[in-house]
Amino acid sequence: MLTRIDHIGIACFDLDKTVEFYRATYGFEVFHSEVNEEQGVREAMLKINDTSDGGSSYLQLLEPTREDSAVGKWLAKNGEGVHHIAFGTADVDGDAEAIRSKDIRVLYDEPRIGSMGSRITFLHPKDTHGVLTELVTSAKPSADHSSAEH
Ligand code: MC0
């Protein structure tokens, strides 16, 4: 079951400048940052609030580490802006399979590693009314009120 907006992914050309914009304009601070080489991104997570499922919602600022990455290609075509939304779930495997059975393309056979050790997969934007959609199970089971083993 999808129980929160886990994050909104925002593509940017310069992560440090964009982080500073969100800090100076809104007062949001970096909660976590990392490089995910598999996804080709340098990212900063800005925590917005805790959610009723025991998790949290974030803005995720994304700078590509290479031009041929998903974010690099998208930026070249569209410029900066909202790249994807992510829903949080205690069971990314089960929810991905349930969605796949509705003939919506799930991009990975098995979830991959996302921000802060989470497990993630994506739905194809052409099957979701134009919105690249991610499903996320946090690394900490308590963040999803889940005892699911992975
Ligand atoms: C591409 N399209 C999008 C889109 N990206 N539509 C809406 N939102 C997006 N973000 C559209 C294009 O405009 C194009 O439509 C069609 O999809 C094919 O795009 P493409 O430019 O030819 O690119 P593809 O087909 O090579 O790749 C698109 C695809 C890819 C969605 C499969 O971006 C992908 O695998 N994304 C999932 C991984 C990802 O996004 N990683 C970065 C975030 P037209 O009409 O022009 O044909 S990593 C992350 O977020 C992690 C770290 C985390 O959360 O923890």
Side-chain angles (χ1 to χ4, degrees):
M1 184 169 52
L2 309 180
T3 52
R4 66 176 179 277
I5 293 178
D6 185 272
H7 64 265
I8 298 171
I10 298 171
C12 62
F13 291 114
D14 185 320
L15 185 64
D16 297 337
K17 280 188 185 160
T18 309
V19 162
E20 177 53 20
F21 170 82
Y22 277 87
R23 192 199 63 72
T25 308
Y26 309 116
F28 297 142
E29 302 287 346
V30 175
F31 179 82
H32 173 85
S33 58
E34 68 181 79
V35 173
N36 185 323
E37 284 298 354
E38 183 181 33
Q39 295 290 340
V41 294
R42 196 160 78 91
E43 63 169 76
M45 298 294 271
L46 314 181
K47 186 166 165 178
I48 306 301
N49 63 287
D50 292 323
T51 53
S52 59
D53 63 355
S56 304
S57 291
Y58 303 87
L59 293 183
Q60 181 186 60
L61 306 180
L62 298 161
E63 178 193 287
T65 58
R66 44 178 200 273
E67 287 179 6
D68 66 349
S69 63
V71 174
K73 285 172 62 178
W74 190 87
L75 267 174
K77 187 172 170 184
N78 302 286
E80 296 183 314
V82 174
H83 178 259
H84 66 268
I85 62 168
F87 296 123
T89 167
D91 181 15
V92 64
D93 303 81
D95 285 323
E97 279 319 302
I99 290 170
R100 198 193 301 273
S101 74
K102 297 173 185 174
D103 283 338
I104 294 163
R105 279 171 286 174
V106 176
L107 295 180
Y108 304 148
D109 290 338
E110 295 289 334
R112 297 182 184 174
I113 298 301
S115 188
M116 298 183 280
S118 59
R119 297 176 71 246
I120 63 171
T121 195
F122 289 89
L123 314 180
H124 200 288
K126 292 297 177 190
D127 294 351
T128 56
H129 294 265
V131 179
L132 177 61
T133 303
E134 180 180 342
L135 310 180
V136 183
T137 294
S138 303
K140 280 192 300 181
S142 58
D144 296 306
H145 280 204
S146 162
S147 58
E149 299 283 333
H150 296 293

PDB file of all heavy atoms in Angstrom, residues 7 36 39 41 43 60 62 70-71 73-74 77 83-84 107-108 114-115 118 120 122 124-126 130 132 134, ligand 1:
ATOM      1  N   HIS A   7       9.039  11.468  -1.761  1.00  0.00           N
ATOM      2  CA  HIS A   7       9.785  12.652  -2.203  1.00  0.00           C
ATOM      3  C   HIS A   7       9.321  13.110  -3.576  1.00  0.00           C
ATOM      4  O   HIS A   7       8.645  12.374  -4.304  1.00  0.00           O
ATOM      5  CB  HIS A   7      11.290  12.403  -2.205  1.00  0.00           C
ATOM      6  CG  HIS A   7      11.790  11.359  -3.166  1.00  0.00           C
ATOM      7  ND1 HIS A   7      12.009  10.046  -2.813  1.00  0.00           N
ATOM      8  CD2 HIS A   7      12.135  11.436  -4.479  1.00  0.00           C
ATOM      9  CE1 HIS A   7      12.466   9.376  -3.847  1.00  0.00           C
ATOM     10  NE2 HIS A   7      12.549  10.188  -4.888  1.00  0.00           N
ATOM     11  N   ASN A  36      24.780   8.513  -6.251  1.00  0.00           N
ATOM     12  CA  ASN A  36      24.305   7.174  -6.642  1.00  0.00           C
ATOM     13  C   ASN A  36      24.802   6.952  -8.068  1.00  0.00           C
ATOM     14  O   ASN A  36      24.222   7.448  -9.035  1.00  0.00           O
ATOM     15  CB  ASN A  36      22.777   7.108  -6.566  1.00  0.00           C
ATOM     16  CG  ASN A  36      22.225   5.718  -6.842  1.00  0.00           C
ATOM     17  OD1 ASN A  36      22.746   4.992  -7.679  1.00  0.00           O
ATOM     18  ND2 ASN A  36      21.158   5.353  -6.150  1.00  0.00           N
ATOM     19  N   GLN A  39      22.488   5.248 -10.683  1.00  0.00           N
ATOM     20  CA  GLN A  39      21.460   6.134 -11.235  1.00  0.00           C
ATOM     21  C   GLN A  39      22.063   7.356 -11.931  1.00  0.00           C
ATOM     22  O   GLN A  39      21.352   8.087 -12.628  1.00  0.00           O
ATOM     23  CB  GLN A  39      20.504   6.588 -10.125  1.00  0.00           C
ATOM     24  CG  GLN A  39      19.682   5.473  -9.522  1.00  0.00           C
ATOM     25  CD  GLN A  39      18.627   4.936 -10.474  1.00  0.00           C
ATOM     26  OE1 GLN A  39      18.248   5.590 -11.441  1.00  0.00           O
ATOM     27  NE2 GLN A  39      18.169   3.718 -10.240  1.00  0.00           N
ATOM     28  N   VAL A  41      23.433  10.126 -10.459  1.00  0.00           N
ATOM     29  CA  VAL A  41      23.020  11.379  -9.821  1.00  0.00           C
ATOM     30  C   VAL A  41      23.845  11.681  -8.570  1.00  0.00           C
ATOM     31  O   VAL A  41      24.284  10.789  -7.859  1.00  0.00           O
ATOM     32  CB  VAL A  41      21.528  11.368  -9.406  1.00  0.00           C
ATOM     33  CG1 VAL A  41      20.627  11.312 -10.616  1.00  0.00           C
ATOM     34  CG2 VAL A  41      21.209  10.251  -8.426  1.00  0.00           C
ATOM     35  N   GLU A  43      22.843  13.837  -5.233  1.00  0.00           N
ATOM     36  CA  GLU A  43      21.538  14.249  -4.735  1.00  0.00           C
ATOM     37  C   GLU A  43      21.612  14.801  -3.332  1.00  0.00           C
ATOM     38  O   GLU A  43      22.511  14.467  -2.557  1.00  0.00           O
ATOM     39  CB  GLU A  43      20.572  13.059  -4.746  1.00  0.00           C
ATOM     40  CG  GLU A  43      21.033  11.938  -3.824  1.00  0.00           C
ATOM     41  CD  GLU A  43      19.956  10.883  -3.634  1.00  0.00           C
ATOM     42  OE1 GLU A  43      19.753  10.092  -4.544  1.00  0.00           O
ATOM     43  OE2 GLU A  43      19.352  10.867  -2.545  1.00  0.00           O
ATOM     44  N   GLN A  60      13.915  16.035  -3.224  1.00  0.00           N
ATOM     45  CA  GLN A  60      15.171  15.405  -3.627  1.00  0.00           C
ATOM     46  C   GLN A  60      15.737  16.212  -4.800  1.00  0.00           C
ATOM     47  O   GLN A  60      15.160  16.205  -5.890  1.00  0.00           O
ATOM     48  CB  GLN A  60      14.905  13.964  -4.065  1.00  0.00           C
ATOM     49  CG  GLN A  60      16.142  13.189  -4.489  1.00  0.00           C
ATOM     50  CD  GLN A  60      15.752  11.822  -5.033  1.00  0.00           C
ATOM     51  OE1 GLN A  60      15.015  11.730  -6.011  1.00  0.00           O
ATOM     52  NE2 GLN A  60      16.227  10.768  -4.401  1.00  0.00           N
ATOM     53  N   LEU A  62      18.460  16.768  -7.623  1.00  0.00           N
ATOM     54  CA  LEU A  62      19.249  15.808  -8.411  1.00  0.00           C
ATOM     55  C   LEU A  62      20.085  16.528  -9.458  1.00  0.00           C
ATOM     56  O   LEU A  62      19.545  17.252 -10.304  1.00  0.00           O
ATOM     57  CB  LEU A  62      18.305  14.855  -9.150  1.00  0.00           C
ATOM     58  CG  LEU A  62      17.407  13.968  -8.303  1.00  0.00           C
ATOM     59  CD1 LEU A  62      16.242  13.450  -9.140  1.00  0.00           C
ATOM     60  CD2 LEU A  62      18.217  12.812  -7.726  1.00  0.00           C
ATOM     61  N   ALA A  70      19.623   9.188 -16.814  1.00  0.00           N
ATOM     62  CA  ALA A  70      18.203   9.552 -16.966  1.00  0.00           C
ATOM     63  C   ALA A  70      18.010  11.044 -16.705  1.00  0.00           C
ATOM     64  O   ALA A  70      17.333  11.740 -17.475  1.00  0.00           O
ATOM     65  CB  ALA A  70      17.356   8.722 -16.002  1.00  0.00           C
ATOM     66  N   VAL A  71      18.606  11.554 -15.642  1.00  0.00           N
ATOM     67  CA  VAL A  71      18.431  12.974 -15.307  1.00  0.00           C
ATOM     68  C   VAL A  71      19.195  13.857 -16.293  1.00  0.00           C
ATOM     69  O   VAL A  71      18.711  14.924 -16.698  1.00  0.00           O
ATOM     70  CB  VAL A  71      18.861  13.249 -13.849  1.00  0.00           C
ATOM     71  CG1 VAL A  71      18.832  14.739 -13.544  1.00  0.00           C
ATOM     72  CG2 VAL A  71      17.936  12.511 -12.886  1.00  0.00           C
ATOM     73  N   LYS A  73      19.800  13.264 -19.480  1.00  0.00           N
ATOM     74  CA  LYS A  73      19.022  13.323 -20.729  1.00  0.00           C
ATOM     75  C   LYS A  73      17.787  14.206 -20.573  1.00  0.00           C
ATOM     76  O   LYS A  73      17.447  14.995 -21.450  1.00  0.00           O
ATOM     77  CB  LYS A  73      18.589  11.909 -21.148  1.00  0.00           C
ATOM     78  CG  LYS A  73      19.717  11.075 -21.746  1.00  0.00           C
ATOM     79  CD  LYS A  73      19.312   9.631 -21.969  1.00  0.00           C
ATOM     80  CE  LYS A  73      18.178   9.468 -22.956  1.00  0.00           C
ATOM     81  NZ  LYS A  73      17.842   8.049 -23.191  1.00  0.00           N
ATOM     82  N   TRP A  74      17.138  14.065 -19.445  1.00  0.00           N
ATOM     83  CA  TRP A  74      15.908  14.827 -19.209  1.00  0.00           C
ATOM     84  C   TRP A  74      16.209  16.320 -19.117  1.00  0.00           C
ATOM     85  O   TRP A  74      15.497  17.149 -19.690  1.00  0.00           O
ATOM     86  CB  TRP A  74      15.244  14.318 -17.927  1.00  0.00           C
ATOM     87  CG  TRP A  74      13.870  14.846 -17.716  1.00  0.00           C
ATOM     88  CD1 TRP A  74      12.697  14.329 -18.186  1.00  0.00           C
ATOM     89  CD2 TRP A  74      13.509  16.021 -16.973  1.00  0.00           C
ATOM     90  NE1 TRP A  74      11.637  15.109 -17.781  1.00  0.00           N
ATOM     91  CE2 TRP A  74      12.109  16.154 -17.035  1.00  0.00           C
ATOM     92  CE3 TRP A  74      14.248  16.970 -16.253  1.00  0.00           C
ATOM     93  CZ2 TRP A  74      11.429  17.190 -16.405  1.00  0.00           C
ATOM     94  CZ3 TRP A  74      13.567  18.006 -15.633  1.00  0.00           C
ATOM     95  CH2 TRP A  74      12.175  18.103 -15.711  1.00  0.00           C
ATOM     96  N   LYS A  77      16.835  17.967 -22.428  1.00  0.00           N
ATOM     97  CA  LYS A  77      15.620  18.136 -23.232  1.00  0.00           C
ATOM     98  C   LYS A  77      14.670  19.178 -22.638  1.00  0.00           C
ATOM     99  O   LYS A  77      14.058  19.956 -23.374  1.00  0.00           O
ATOM    100  CB  LYS A  77      14.914  16.775 -23.298  1.00  0.00           C
ATOM    101  CG  LYS A  77      13.724  16.712 -24.234  1.00  0.00           C
ATOM    102  CD  LYS A  77      13.251  15.249 -24.333  1.00  0.00           C
ATOM    103  CE  LYS A  77      11.929  15.143 -25.051  1.00  0.00           C
ATOM    104  NZ  LYS A  77      11.428  13.770 -25.067  1.00  0.00           N
ATOM    105  N   HIS A  83      11.189  16.260 -11.909  1.00  0.00           N
ATOM    106  CA  HIS A  83      11.560  15.100 -12.720  1.00  0.00           C
ATOM    107  C   HIS A  83      10.704  13.880 -12.421  1.00  0.00           C
ATOM    108  O   HIS A  83      10.346  13.135 -13.328  1.00  0.00           O
ATOM    109  CB  HIS A  83      13.044  14.786 -12.479  1.00  0.00           C
ATOM    110  CG  HIS A  83      13.554  13.590 -13.216  1.00  0.00           C
ATOM    111  ND1 HIS A  83      13.721  12.363 -12.616  1.00  0.00           N
ATOM    112  CD2 HIS A  83      13.914  13.433 -14.503  1.00  0.00           C
ATOM    113  CE1 HIS A  83      14.179  11.510 -13.518  1.00  0.00           C
ATOM    114  NE2 HIS A  83      14.313  12.118 -14.667  1.00  0.00           N
ATOM    115  N   HIS A  84      10.391  13.651 -11.145  1.00  0.00           N
ATOM    116  CA  HIS A  84       9.554  12.498 -10.788  1.00  0.00           C
ATOM    117  C   HIS A  84       8.924  12.708  -9.423  1.00  0.00           C
ATOM    118  O   HIS A  84       9.341  13.571  -8.654  1.00  0.00           O
ATOM    119  CB  HIS A  84      10.370  11.195 -10.799  1.00  0.00           C
ATOM    120  CG  HIS A  84      11.442  11.109  -9.753  1.00  0.00           C
ATOM    121  ND1 HIS A  84      12.749  11.514  -9.960  1.00  0.00           N
ATOM    122  CD2 HIS A  84      11.417  10.649  -8.472  1.00  0.00           C
ATOM    123  CE1 HIS A  84      13.466  11.302  -8.868  1.00  0.00           C
ATOM    124  NE2 HIS A  84      12.686  10.777  -7.950  1.00  0.00           N
ATOM    125  N   LEU A 107       9.947  -0.563 -14.361  1.00  0.00           N
ATOM    126  CA  LEU A 107      11.197  -0.526 -15.124  1.00  0.00           C
ATOM    127  C   LEU A 107      12.240  -1.538 -14.668  1.00  0.00           C
ATOM    128  O   LEU A 107      13.103  -1.898 -15.446  1.00  0.00           O
ATOM    129  CB  LEU A 107      11.775   0.889 -15.087  1.00  0.00           C
ATOM    130  CG  LEU A 107      10.904   1.943 -15.791  1.00  0.00           C
ATOM    131  CD1 LEU A 107      11.559   3.318 -15.705  1.00  0.00           C
ATOM    132  CD2 LEU A 107      10.654   1.569 -17.250  1.00  0.00           C
ATOM    133  N   TYR A 108      12.178  -1.996 -13.417  1.00  0.00           N
ATOM    134  CA  TYR A 108      13.191  -2.931 -12.925  1.00  0.00           C
ATOM    135  C   TYR A 108      12.531  -4.263 -12.554  1.00  0.00           C
ATOM    136  O   TYR A 108      11.462  -4.283 -11.945  1.00  0.00           O
ATOM    137  CB  TYR A 108      13.896  -2.378 -11.688  1.00  0.00           C
ATOM    138  CG  TYR A 108      14.539  -1.016 -11.876  1.00  0.00           C
ATOM    139  CD1 TYR A 108      14.613  -0.119 -10.820  1.00  0.00           C
ATOM    140  CD2 TYR A 108      15.073  -0.616 -13.103  1.00  0.00           C
ATOM    141  CE1 TYR A 108      15.201   1.135 -10.970  1.00  0.00           C
ATOM    142  CE2 TYR A 108      15.659   0.637 -13.263  1.00  0.00           C
ATOM    143  CZ  TYR A 108      15.714   1.501 -12.200  1.00  0.00           C
ATOM    144  OH  TYR A 108      16.282   2.739 -12.352  1.00  0.00           O
ATOM    145  N   GLY A 114      18.234   2.939  -3.659  1.00  0.00           N
ATOM    146  CA  GLY A 114      18.005   4.370  -3.786  1.00  0.00           C
ATOM    147  C   GLY A 114      18.567   5.135  -2.607  1.00  0.00           C
ATOM    148  O   GLY A 114      19.416   4.626  -1.857  1.00  0.00           O
ATOM    149  N   SER A 115      18.074   6.325  -2.460  1.00  0.00           N
ATOM    150  CA  SER A 115      18.586   7.237  -1.441  1.00  0.00           C
ATOM    151  C   SER A 115      18.526   6.619  -0.040  1.00  0.00           C
ATOM    152  O   SER A 115      17.543   5.984   0.325  1.00  0.00           O
ATOM    153  CB  SER A 115      17.724   8.495  -1.486  1.00  0.00           C
ATOM    154  OG  SER A 115      18.265   9.479  -0.661  1.00  0.00           O
ATOM    155  N   SER A 118      17.470   2.960   0.611  1.00  0.00           N
ATOM    156  CA  SER A 118      16.107   2.497   0.310  1.00  0.00           C
ATOM    157  C   SER A 118      16.121   1.534  -0.881  1.00  0.00           C
ATOM    158  O   SER A 118      17.135   1.379  -1.570  1.00  0.00           O
ATOM    159  CB  SER A 118      15.214   3.704  -0.030  1.00  0.00           C
ATOM    160  OG  SER A 118      15.741   4.408  -1.142  1.00  0.00           O
ATOM    161  N   ILE A 120      14.110   0.819  -4.447  1.00  0.00           N
ATOM    162  CA  ILE A 120      13.278   1.641  -5.334  1.00  0.00           C
ATOM    163  C   ILE A 120      13.012   0.956  -6.665  1.00  0.00           C
ATOM    164  O   ILE A 120      13.792   0.124  -7.133  1.00  0.00           O
ATOM    165  CB  ILE A 120      13.949   3.010  -5.620  1.00  0.00           C
ATOM    166  CG1 ILE A 120      15.292   2.833  -6.365  1.00  0.00           C
ATOM    167  CG2 ILE A 120      14.156   3.775  -4.322  1.00  0.00           C
ATOM    168  CD1 ILE A 120      15.900   4.139  -6.869  1.00  0.00           C
ATOM    169  N   PHE A 122      10.755   2.124 -10.608  1.00  0.00           N
ATOM    170  CA  PHE A 122      10.080   3.203 -11.329  1.00  0.00           C
ATOM    171  C   PHE A 122       9.015   2.631 -12.257  1.00  0.00           C
ATOM    172  O   PHE A 122       9.157   1.518 -12.783  1.00  0.00           O
ATOM    173  CB  PHE A 122      11.086   3.981 -12.187  1.00  0.00           C
ATOM    174  CG  PHE A 122      12.050   4.829 -11.404  1.00  0.00           C
ATOM    175  CD1 PHE A 122      13.256   4.290 -10.955  1.00  0.00           C
ATOM    176  CD2 PHE A 122      11.763   6.153 -11.107  1.00  0.00           C
ATOM    177  CE1 PHE A 122      14.149   5.065 -10.229  1.00  0.00           C
ATOM    178  CE2 PHE A 122      12.648   6.935 -10.379  1.00  0.00           C
ATOM    179  CZ  PHE A 122      13.845   6.391  -9.940  1.00  0.00           C
ATOM    180  N   HIS A 124       6.930   3.469 -15.848  1.00  0.00           N
ATOM    181  CA  HIS A 124       7.220   4.226 -17.070  1.00  0.00           C
ATOM    182  C   HIS A 124       6.260   5.402 -17.202  1.00  0.00           C
ATOM    183  O   HIS A 124       5.034   5.219 -17.104  1.00  0.00           O
ATOM    184  CB  HIS A 124       7.128   3.332 -18.308  1.00  0.00           C
ATOM    185  CG  HIS A 124       7.859   3.919 -19.474  1.00  0.00           C
ATOM    186  ND1 HIS A 124       7.389   5.018 -20.167  1.00  0.00           N
ATOM    187  CD2 HIS A 124       9.042   3.586 -20.043  1.00  0.00           C
ATOM    188  CE1 HIS A 124       8.251   5.331 -21.131  1.00  0.00           C
ATOM    189  NE2 HIS A 124       9.265   4.478 -21.073  1.00  0.00           N
ATOM    190  N   PRO A 125       6.793   6.612 -17.463  1.00  0.00           N
ATOM    191  CA  PRO A 125       5.907   7.791 -17.515  1.00  0.00           C
ATOM    192  C   PRO A 125       4.861   7.717 -18.625  1.00  0.00           C
ATOM    193  O   PRO A 125       3.806   8.341 -18.507  1.00  0.00           O
ATOM    194  CB  PRO A 125       6.875   8.964 -17.724  1.00  0.00           C
ATOM    195  CG  PRO A 125       8.138   8.364 -18.255  1.00  0.00           C
ATOM    196  CD  PRO A 125       8.207   6.986 -17.665  1.00  0.00           C
ATOM    197  N   LYS A 126       5.132   6.938 -19.657  1.00  0.00           N
ATOM    198  CA  LYS A 126       4.142   6.831 -20.744  1.00  0.00           C
ATOM    199  C   LYS A 126       2.929   6.002 -20.324  1.00  0.00           C
ATOM    200  O   LYS A 126       1.900   6.012 -20.997  1.00  0.00           O
ATOM    201  CB  LYS A 126       4.788   6.226 -21.993  1.00  0.00           C
ATOM    202  CG  LYS A 126       5.824   7.130 -22.634  1.00  0.00           C
ATOM    203  CD  LYS A 126       5.194   8.427 -23.129  1.00  0.00           C
ATOM    204  CE  LYS A 126       6.226   9.369 -23.704  1.00  0.00           C
ATOM    205  NZ  LYS A 126       5.680  10.713 -23.971  1.00  0.00           N
ATOM    206  N   GLY A 130       2.150  10.590 -17.985  1.00  0.00           N
ATOM    207  CA  GLY A 130       3.243  11.550 -18.161  1.00  0.00           C
ATOM    208  C   GLY A 130       4.087  11.828 -16.934  1.00  0.00           C
ATOM    209  O   GLY A 130       4.986  12.662 -17.000  1.00  0.00           O
ATOM    210  N   LEU A 132       6.814  10.391 -14.377  1.00  0.00           N
ATOM    211  CA  LEU A 132       7.729   9.342 -13.938  1.00  0.00           C
ATOM    212  C   LEU A 132       7.483   9.122 -12.449  1.00  0.00           C
ATOM    213  O   LEU A 132       7.596  10.060 -11.646  1.00  0.00           O
ATOM    214  CB  LEU A 132       9.177   9.753 -14.195  1.00  0.00           C
ATOM    215  CG  LEU A 132      10.245   8.769 -13.707  1.00  0.00           C
ATOM    216  CD1 LEU A 132      10.118   7.400 -14.383  1.00  0.00           C
ATOM    217  CD2 LEU A 132      11.645   9.345 -13.936  1.00  0.00           C
ATOM    218  N   GLU A 134       8.055   6.800  -8.931  1.00  0.00           N
ATOM    219  CA  GLU A 134       8.962   5.901  -8.209  1.00  0.00           C
ATOM    220  C   GLU A 134       8.222   5.320  -7.015  1.00  0.00           C
ATOM    221  O   GLU A 134       7.376   6.000  -6.415  1.00  0.00           O
ATOM    222  CB  GLU A 134      10.181   6.716  -7.746  1.00  0.00           C
ATOM    223  CG  GLU A 134      11.233   5.939  -6.973  1.00  0.00           C
ATOM    224  CD  GLU A 134      12.405   6.836  -6.547  1.00  0.00           C
ATOM    225  OE1 GLU A 134      12.576   7.953  -7.117  1.00  0.00           O
ATOM    226  OE2 GLU A 134      13.122   6.430  -5.618  1.00  0.00           O
TER     227      GLU A 134
HETATM  228  C1  MC0 B   1      11.537  10.669 -19.972  1.00  0.00           C
HETATM  229  N1  MC0 B   1      10.265  10.930 -20.286  1.00  0.00           N
HETATM  230  C2  MC0 B   1       9.653  11.465 -19.222  1.00  0.00           C
HETATM  231  C3  MC0 B   1      10.633  11.534 -18.222  1.00  0.00           C
HETATM  232  N2  MC0 B   1      11.786  11.019 -18.707  1.00  0.00           N
HETATM  233  N3  MC0 B   1       8.398  11.874 -19.032  1.00  0.00           N
HETATM  234  C4  MC0 B   1       8.090  12.387 -17.820  1.00  0.00           C
HETATM  235  N4  MC0 B   1       8.989  12.492 -16.814  1.00  0.00           N
HETATM  236  C5  MC0 B   1      10.261  12.080 -16.967  1.00  0.00           C
HETATM  237  N5  MC0 B   1      11.129  12.185 -15.975  1.00  0.00           N
HETATM  238  C6  MC0 B   1       9.631  10.728 -21.592  1.00  0.00           C
HETATM  239  C7  MC0 B   1      10.386  11.451 -22.685  1.00  0.00           C
HETATM  240  O1  MC0 B   1       9.987  12.795 -22.808  1.00  0.00           O
HETATM  241  C8  MC0 B   1      10.036  10.629 -23.896  1.00  0.00           C
HETATM  242  O2  MC0 B   1       8.782  11.013 -24.389  1.00  0.00           O
HETATM  243  C9  MC0 B   1       9.931   9.223 -23.347  1.00  0.00           C
HETATM  244  O3  MC0 B   1       9.689   9.365 -21.937  1.00  0.00           O
HETATM  245  C10 MC0 B   1      11.226   8.450 -23.534  1.00  0.00           C
HETATM  246  O4  MC0 B   1      12.266   9.229 -22.959  1.00  0.00           O
HETATM  247  P1  MC0 B   1      13.767   9.265 -23.460  1.00  0.00           P
HETATM  248  O5  MC0 B   1      14.274  10.643 -23.255  1.00  0.00           O
HETATM  249  O6  MC0 B   1      13.894   8.650 -24.821  1.00  0.00           O
HETATM  250  O7  MC0 B   1      14.510   8.396 -22.390  1.00  0.00           O
HETATM  251  P2  MC0 B   1      14.559   6.844 -22.173  1.00  0.00           P
HETATM  252  O8  MC0 B   1      13.421   6.122 -22.852  1.00  0.00           O
HETATM  253  O9  MC0 B   1      15.938   6.377 -22.470  1.00  0.00           O
HETATM  254  O10 MC0 B   1      14.357   6.813 -20.586  1.00  0.00           O
HETATM  255  C11 MC0 B   1      13.163   7.203 -19.968  1.00  0.00           C
HETATM  256  C12 MC0 B   1      13.047   6.398 -18.676  1.00  0.00           C
HETATM  257  C13 MC0 B   1      14.331   6.661 -17.877  1.00  0.00           C
HETATM  258  C14 MC0 B   1      11.806   6.885 -17.931  1.00  0.00           C
HETATM  259  C15 MC0 B   1      12.886   4.916 -19.030  1.00  0.00           C
HETATM  260  O11 MC0 B   1      14.456   8.030 -17.583  1.00  0.00           O
HETATM  261  C16 MC0 B   1      14.415   5.874 -16.612  1.00  0.00           C
HETATM  262  O12 MC0 B   1      14.792   4.695 -16.602  1.00  0.00           O
HETATM  263  N6  MC0 B   1      14.089   6.488 -15.455  1.00  0.00           N
HETATM  264  C17 MC0 B   1      14.145   5.792 -14.165  1.00  0.00           C
HETATM  265  C18 MC0 B   1      15.429   6.060 -13.449  1.00  0.00           C
HETATM  266  C19 MC0 B   1      15.637   7.520 -13.113  1.00  0.00           C
HETATM  267  O13 MC0 B   1      14.899   8.390 -13.536  1.00  0.00           O
HETATM  268  N7  MC0 B   1      16.719   7.772 -12.316  1.00  0.00           N
HETATM  269  C20 MC0 B   1      17.037   9.130 -11.900  1.00  0.00           C
HETATM  270  C21 MC0 B   1      16.505   9.386 -10.535  1.00  0.00           C
HETATM  271  P3  MC0 B   1       8.548  11.381 -25.912  1.00  0.00           P
HETATM  272  O14 MC0 B   1       7.100  11.740 -25.990  1.00  0.00           O
HETATM  273  O15 MC0 B   1       9.476  12.494 -26.245  1.00  0.00           O
HETATM  274  O16 MC0 B   1       8.864  10.092 -26.658  1.00  0.00           O
HETATM  275  S1  MC0 B   1      17.395   8.407  -9.363  1.00  0.00           S
HETATM  276  C22 MC0 B   1      16.528   8.510  -7.930  1.00  0.00           C
HETATM  277  O17 MC0 B   1      15.559   9.191  -7.879  1.00  0.00           O
HETATM  278  C23 MC0 B   1      17.069   7.684  -6.777  1.00  0.00           C
HETATM  279  C24 MC0 B   1      18.470   8.064  -6.481  1.00  0.00           C
HETATM  280  C25 MC0 B   1      16.194   7.770  -5.535  1.00  0.00           C
HETATM  281  O18 MC0 B   1      15.097   8.323  -5.553  1.00  0.00           O
HETATM  282  O19 MC0 B   1      16.623   7.275  -4.480  1.00  0.00           O
END
